[in-house]
Amino acid sequence: MQEKTFAPWDDPEARPLIEFKGVTKQYGEVVAIDNQSVDIFEREFFALLGPSGCGKTTMMRLLGGFEEITAGQILIDGQDMAGIPPNRRPVNMMFQSYALFPHLSVEQNIAFGLKRENLAKSVISDRVSEMLRLVQLQRFASRKPDQLSGGQRQRVALARALAKSPKLLLLDEPLGALDRKLREETQFELMDIQEKTGTTFVIVTHDQEEAMTVASRVAVMDEGRIIQVATPDVIYEAPNTRYVADFIGDVNLVEGHAASDGIDTPLGRFAASHSKIANGAECALALRPEKLSIALKKPTKVDNTVAGKVIDIAYLGNITTYHVEVGGQILKAQVTNASRKVRSGITWEDNVWLSWTKTAGVVLTA
């Protein structure tokens, strides 16, 4: 996991390893990347996150040299990458398909790139052994890819990508082919390997949980633009737009207008913390479902309460989500199932009260 003190983006004297400066990429009339700038620092595990077609893969391909930029600059370790082909960049890439050679063994796959560098056999052997230890596949060195599980093939591809000690490793949806449980396990393996090697990782993913788990910072993208770059906790707790709030996790968005002490909405006036928003300005209150409490009786001594009716209940094992109709809008409230038996006493069609604190929500103007 990332060190608690690791935050070079907050250090004005820190020099980025990667710099996107006003980068634009067009395909004919289509603008895939629209004048974007972002810095990525050494040893970061940086995630490009967004839906299909948002431009995240194009950003990665521009960085790797597989596409040429239309305008702007990309610098790696201070060097302009214009005109430098992929094989001459200090970058390696791991594809979703892994692209392993089926006729080669695990150790031969890992050694492939090293042999092309015409290194001494002893150097190659030592490096392959080091990579096998890193990904814990020593016992599988002589096996072919079709004799391995999906998770093991993923680790072989990772070892091969890291064998040449690149400054930067690009990962294109690297866990997409794995089932959910294995994908979650492998996320932590990736984090551990990234920390041990100190290599800068840039991962492209549409999976928000994956990005939030592995990344030191996340760049949320939409339509060729980076909407917000921040640490996972800030992205989740303090999104800067409705789009980010809605894309990351589950959220209730209540539209309204700013008031001196909160926000006026069709559901009522709610106390909320905000500053520099003019009274009467259009805005939305973003409330995460876990921030809402649900009860059969109206609570007291709370900042905000609203009455509604339970429409749906989703039991998910660790949590239960209640869909509550309030003034024609559905609000979600989540309750942690701390005991083996769910005894909330709340069921379908019940009239209930939702409540939350003044600081639970985020007021958004964009």
Side-chain angles (χ1 to χ4, degrees):
M1 296 178 68
Q2 301 294 329
E3 298 175 13
K4 292 182 179 179
T5 55
F6 181 74
W9 47 86
D10 289 334
D11 182 357
E13 297 183 3
R15 176 185 173 189
L17 176 66
I18 301 160
E19 298 171 80
F20 282 79
K21 294 186 173 183
V23 172
T24 295
K25 175 61 180 178
Q26 289 184 242
Y27 297 97
E29 297 298 318
V30 177
V31 179
I33 303 297
D34 187 8
N35 190 27
Q36 295 302 290
S37 299
V38 67
D39 293 335
I40 302 173
F41 294 85
E42 189 175 8
R43 293 177 55 236
E44 265 210 87
F45 202 138
F46 191 88
L48 293 167
L49 174 67
S52 297
C54 72
K56 59 186 186 296
T57 298
T58 302
M59 288 279 283
M60 184 188 65
R61 290 181 63 81
L62 291 171
L63 186 53
F66 301 103
E67 302 277 358
E68 293 185 3
I69 63 176
T70 305
Q73 275 186 309
I74 296 177
L75 282 71
I76 299 180
D77 206 10
Q79 182 182 4
D80 193 337
M81 291 291 107
I84 298 179
N87 64 324
R88 292 182 55 200
R89 299 189 181 199
V91 176
N92 216 334
M93 187 166 182
M94 180 178 158
F95 297 94
Q96 182 178 356
S97 65
Y98 309 147
L100 299 176
F101 298 108
H103 62 288
L104 299 181
S105 67
V106 167
E107 58 185 351
Q108 289 170 334
N109 265 284
I110 296 172
F112 183 81
L114 299 172
K115 288 181 178 179
R116 291 175 64 89
E117 298 290 318
N118 295 317
L119 300 175
K121 288 185 178 180
S122 60
V123 173
I124 293 175
S125 178
D126 289 346
R127 186 61 177 165
V128 170
S129 295
E130 181 184 351
M131 290 296 100
L132 286 170
R133 286 194 299 273
L134 180 68
V135 296
Q136 301 179 25
L137 288 176
Q138 300 97 314
R139 294 189 297 112
F140 304 93
S142 60
R143 291 193 185 183
K144 300 290 179 62
D146 63 358
Q147 297 174 309
L148 303 174
S149 68
Q152 290 166 341
R153 288 195 294 271
Q154 189 266 352
R155 282 186 275 162
V156 175
L158 181 61
R160 184 179 64 182
L162 290 171
K164 293 172 66 177
S165 301
K167 289 182 180 179
L168 170 65
L169 181 63
L170 307 178
L171 302 102
D172 182 16
E173 303 276 4
L175 310 182
L178 306 180
D179 63 65
R180 181 180 177 85
K181 187 172 183 180
L182 182 57
R183 187 164 66 246
E184 291 175 351
E185 293 173 357
T186 308
Q187 288 169 6
F188 289 97
E189 291 178 0
L190 271 180
M191 295 165 65
D192 185 52
I193 290 169
Q194 190 267 341
E195 183 181 15
K196 287 178 179 176
T197 62
T199 306
T200 304
F201 280 19
V202 175
I203 186 172
V204 165
T205 181
H206 66 274
D207 187 326
Q208 54 185 270
E209 289 185 13
E210 182 172 290
M212 300 284 280
T213 299
V214 303
S216 53
R217 284 191 303 161
V218 178
V220 182
M221 296 190 64
D222 183 40
E223 297 183 348
R225 295 176 296 115
I226 296 173
I227 308 301
Q228 185 173 7
V229 180
T231 55
D233 59 316
V234 171
I235 289 283
Y236 186 82
E237 298 290 355
N240 63 357
T241 65
R242 293 171 174 85
Y243 173 80
V244 174
D246 192 40
F247 188 78
I248 301 294
D250 228 348
V251 71
N252 299 298
L253 287 172
V254 183
E255 298 291 338
H257 294 82
S260 59
D261 56 349
I263 177 172
D264 284 323
T265 80
L267 308 183
R269 173 171 287 194
F270 301 127
S273 299
H274 64 76
S275 60
K276 301 180 181 178
I277 302 177
N279 286 349
E282 290 187 6
C283 57
L285 180 63
L287 290 163
R288 299 293 183 187
E290 70 274 12
K291 312 293 190 195
L292 273 61
S293 296
I294 184 170
L296 292 170
K297 295 182 180 180
K298 185 176 182 178
T300 58
K301 298 181 180 180
V302 292
D303 297 322
N304 297 294
T305 59
V306 66
K309 177 180 285 189
V310 176
I311 302 302
D312 275 313
I313 302 173
Y315 174 75
L316 301 176
N318 59 329
I319 60 172
T320 297
T321 301
Y322 296 91
H323 295 237
V324 181
E325 183 181 6
V326 180
Q329 180 173 351
I330 300 297
L331 299 182
K332 297 179 183 179
Q334 287 181 346
V335 177
T336 302
N337 298 325
S339 61
R340 290 185 60 202
K341 292 186 178 181
V342 181
R343 297 175 177 172
S344 68
I346 299 173
T347 189
W348 286 266
E349 301 298 319
D350 276 352
N351 293 314
V352 295
W353 287 90
L354 300 178
S355 60
W356 62 93
T357 65
K358 180 179 180 179
T359 58
V362 179
V363 179
L364 303 171
T365 57

